Amino acid sequence: MPLSTDGVDQRLVDAVLGVGVTLGVAATIAVDLDETGRADPGAYLFAGVFGALVLARRQAPRAVLVATVLGVFLYYALGYAPIGIALPAVVALASAAEAGHTRWAVGAGTVLVSAAAVALVEEGRPLDYLVSYEMLTNVALVATAVTLGASIRARREARRHQEKLHRVVLAEQAREAEQRLREERLSIARDLHDVVGHALSVIALHGNVAAEAIGRDEDVARRAIGQIGRTTSATMRELRATVKVLRSPGGRPELATLGLAGVPDLVSAARETGVEVVAELDVPGGVLDGAVDAAAYRIVQESLTNALRHSGASRVTVRAGLDGGRLELTVCDDGCGPGDALRPGAGMAGIEERAVTLGGGVSFGRSDDGGFAVRARLPVRVGT
């Protein structure tokens, strides 16, 4: 069944309107107010025709309107009992205006009212009767029908606009949700890369230390193996926290080590590999936003990983301080120079993404010692 936007069967509505027009015109014929005695079967046939035209009002509103007007003229030309000039055309006028053919409806109504006025003048009806009753009634019927049709159309257009706007809003919300999901996945991917990459680097280096020390310096071997165990445990905690986020999207891992306060642990683990690491942290606690603090930690972690794995450095310096409302973070080594470290990779890409996401920036290049340097500048507060 064809339904309107209100969920009502259109054919049922048209059938009811058609029956209403037929009964209204037939009742007016039967009353025969002018007592013409011309309420013939043919007149009632016209009543049925006027009602039947209503059934096609949605498919061909202008054709129905023209046919109705011509039918009214033909009805009166055949001399049947008067039915009013506008009554048979009320639904056709409203339907044309509802379909957006308001000019057609106004024009047809004007033709009907004018024709009725001319006919009444020719019949010798008093002018006061013509103006105060007949004309007023016809004009009121035509104006009401056209206004009703136009208002129905306006409400329908407004409803369609609201529905379209609602769909646009839903689509935008879906895009935003998808974007948030992509950003969350990217953030988790960076975390996994940093955590696993750093842990494997530390484990590999301490494994080498332990292998060389076994049989020669048991204390060094034990310390190296102990550091491997601590690194493994810490990494497992972070991985479990990340898995928890994946299982419950919308949350973020809350890790005590995520922040500059956890840098000393990174430094200690790096020192155990035989590399001299100097940390100069001059950032008061509570000054940084949590996201900035966590990003700073990850940048230091990944920079230390690169220094341990690629540069062959003997000394690494980590500096963090505030400058003009920004966090200045630098990790420099005295290794073999940029070399492999400047090749594009997930590590440096992750560092750059973290900085840019927070509204900061990062640069890579040679350090003062001829090695490799990572220099990041981050806002103290997100959005500043």
Side-chain angles (χ1 to χ4, degrees):
M1 285 187 178
L3 299 179
S4 71
T5 54
D6 293 325
V8 180
D9 181 9
Q10 295 177 352
R11 292 182 299 187
L12 177 60
V13 172
D14 294 345
V16 171
L17 289 175
V19 171
V21 170
T22 299
L23 293 179
V25 174
T28 306
I29 294 171
V31 171
D32 193 7
L33 292 175
D34 292 347
E35 298 180 352
T36 62
R38 296 195 296 271
D40 299 336
Y44 291 105
L45 178 61
F46 267 89
V49 171
F50 288 135
L53 285 173
V54 173
L55 300 178
R57 72 188 188 95
R58 299 182 192 274
Q59 293 76 20
R62 286 183 292 187
V64 169
L65 180 61
V66 172
T68 300
V69 172
L70 294 177
V72 171
F73 288 159
L74 179 60
Y75 178 90
Y76 278 102
L78 294 175
Y80 291 123
I83 55 176
I85 198 73
L87 176 62
V90 167
V91 174
L93 290 168
S95 299
E98 180 184 352
H101 308 302
T102 305
R103 292 183 179 179
W104 281 72
V106 172
T110 302
V111 169
L112 287 173
V113 172
S114 300
V118 171
L120 291 173
V121 169
E122 290 179 352
E123 289 179 6
R125 295 291 181 94
L127 185 61
D128 57 347
Y129 169 81
L130 178 65
V131 174
S132 64
Y133 178 72
E134 191 70 24
M135 284 288 293
L136 183 62
T137 302
N138 287 331
V139 170
L141 282 174
V142 170
T144 301
V146 174
T147 302
L148 178 62
S151 65
I152 291 175
R153 177 178 176 80
R155 287 197 299 271
R156 181 180 296 123
E157 291 297 327
R159 185 164 55 249
R160 287 174 180 171
H161 178 72
Q162 287 296 114
E163 291 173 351
K164 181 179 180 179
L165 182 61
H166 181 62
R167 289 195 295 270
V168 170
V169 171
L170 289 179
E172 182 62 25
Q173 290 175 344
R175 284 193 294 271
E176 290 177 356
E178 185 177 355
Q179 179 64 25
R180 288 194 298 270
L181 181 60
R182 285 197 296 267
E183 292 175 354
E184 183 70 19
R185 287 174 174 172
L186 181 60
S187 176
I188 292 173
R190 287 196 299 262
D191 286 348
L192 286 175
H193 174 273
D194 293 349
V195 170
V196 175
H198 179 75
L200 291 179
S201 296
V202 172
I203 290 172
L205 289 171
H206 283 288
N208 292 334
V209 170
E212 293 177 0
I214 291 176
R216 292 188 300 173
D217 192 333
E218 298 298 329
D219 289 338
V220 172
R222 280 194 294 270
R223 285 199 300 271
I225 293 173
Q227 185 61 49
I228 290 174
R230 289 190 293 274
T231 301
T232 303
S233 299
T235 302
M236 289 302 299
R237 285 196 299 271
E238 293 200 43
L239 290 178
R240 280 195 294 268
T242 302
V243 170
K244 183 178 180 181
V245 172
L246 292 173
R247 289 177 175 174
S248 303
R252 292 289 302 151
E254 299 294 339
L255 302 177
T257 57
L258 283 184
L260 290 178
V263 170
D265 291 336
L266 296 176
V267 170
S268 176
R271 285 171 179 165
E272 291 290 337
T273 65
V275 177
E276 181 184 357
V277 183
V278 177
E280 300 174 1
L281 307 178
D282 187 17
V283 181
V287 173
L288 303 178
D289 271 351
V292 176
D293 206 14
Y297 173 87
R298 292 301 188 192
I299 291 173
V300 173
Q301 183 184 53
E302 180 59 26
S303 299
L304 284 175
T305 300
N306 285 336
L308 296 176
R309 292 174 62 185
H310 303 301
S311 70
S314 61
R315 177 184 174 88
V316 180
T317 302
V318 179
R319 294 188 179 92
L322 302 180
D323 180 19
R326 311 285 282 185
L327 172 65
E328 297 285 347
L329 188 64
T330 306
V331 181
C332 304
D333 65 58
D334 63 350
C336 59
D340 291 340
L342 279 182
R343 294 178 184 173
M348 286 193 297
I351 290 176
E352 188 170 16
E353 287 169 359
R354 291 181 191 280
V356 172
T357 299
L358 294 172
V362 66
S363 63
F364 309 99
R366 291 184 179 276
S367 68
D368 295 337
D369 296 328
F372 184 64
V374 177
R375 299 178 178 89
R377 185 175 174 85
L378 305 175
V380 172
R381 298 288 176 184
V382 178
T384 61

